[in-house]
Amino acid sequence: MASTADIRNGVVLSIDGQLWNVIEFQHVKPGKGGAFVRTKLKNVVSGKTVDRTYNAGAKIEIENVDRRDFTYLYNDGEGFVFMDVADYDQLTVPATVVGEAANFLLENQQVQIALNNGNPLYVELPASVVLEITYTEPGLQGDRSSAGTKPATVETGYEIQVPLFLETGTKVKVDTRTGDYLGRVN
């Protein structure tokens, strides 16, 4: 058991049998009354976020979560197969755990996987990835970068919105958290 003084961003807490990741925390010492810790927690499995307040010194249960570097190999139909960079062991992660990250996974891409007792909890991608546009409608003469956007399908099969002047075969940088177009890559 740990106390509220051990709460940090990224720490995983076990609350009522569920795992919660600390997104934000703030120690508050009001002028009157006891100190407390205000936290924003994200459920590791469902992604739901909640606000929770603890009295200072309250006992909490911190789970041991091991974040390790992996390389994405392939999708075998049942799950996504990753290779541990350190010892070359392969790990199959179910599609439900990978979730939205599957839209941005390319073979041989480096990712971080959080493991709890050998079970994968979630996959962390880099903040942005470079993907090639495999299909988009051709742009028309006079299209400008500020004129608007059009749908484009990238090599993973995910559809993003891109400026009108981009064409099929262009490499673009995509934000993995929101799926937004960030710019062209030469």
Side-chain angles (χ1 to χ4, degrees), residues 42-64:
K42 180 178 180 182
N43 190 307
V44 171
V45 177
S46 69
K48 179 178 139 182
T49 59
V50 296
D51 293 325
R52 190 143 183 186
T53 304
Y54 295 96
N55 290 330
K59 297 294 180 201
I60 55 173
E61 190 174 341
I62 295 180
E63 281 292 324
N64 183 23

Side-chain angles (χ1 to χ4, degrees), residues 8-60:
R8 301 281 178 264
N9 287 346
V11 168
V12 177
L13 306 177
S14 177
I15 303 170
D16 300 330
Q18 292 186 326
L19 298 178
W20 297 82
N21 195 1
V22 177
I23 299 171
E24 295 175 14
F25 75 99
Q26 179 182 20
H27 288 278
V28 180
K29 176 75 174 96
K32 188 175 184 182
F36 58 91
V37 179
R38 189 177 292 139
T39 61
K40 181 180 269 191
L41 305 171
K42 180 178 180 182
N43 190 307
V44 171
V45 177
S46 69
K48 179 178 139 182
T49 59
V50 296
D51 293 325
R52 190 143 183 186
T53 304
Y54 295 96
N55 290 330
K59 297 294 180 201
I60 55 173

Side-chain angles (χ1 to χ4, degrees), residues 36-107:
F36 58 91
V37 179
R38 189 177 292 139
T39 61
K40 181 180 269 191
L41 305 171
K42 180 178 180 182
N43 190 307
V44 171
V45 177
S46 69
K48 179 178 139 182
T49 59
V50 296
D51 293 325
R52 190 143 183 186
T53 304
Y54 295 96
N55 290 330
K59 297 294 180 201
I60 55 173
E61 190 174 341
I62 295 180
E63 281 292 324
N64 183 23
V65 174
D66 185 22
R67 288 182 178 81
R68 299 204 319 241
D69 292 326
F70 283 81
T71 301
Y72 172 62
L73 298 177
Y74 58 91
N75 183 346
D76 68 357
E78 296 176 15
F80 294 82
V81 180
F82 295 88
M83 178 183 67
D84 193 332
V85 176
D87 58 12
Y88 304 111
D89 283 344
Q90 290 189 3
L91 173 70
T92 301
V93 179
T96 54
V97 174
V98 174
E100 293 291 314
N103 297 327
F104 308 104
L105 274 178
L106 291 175
E107 290 181 3

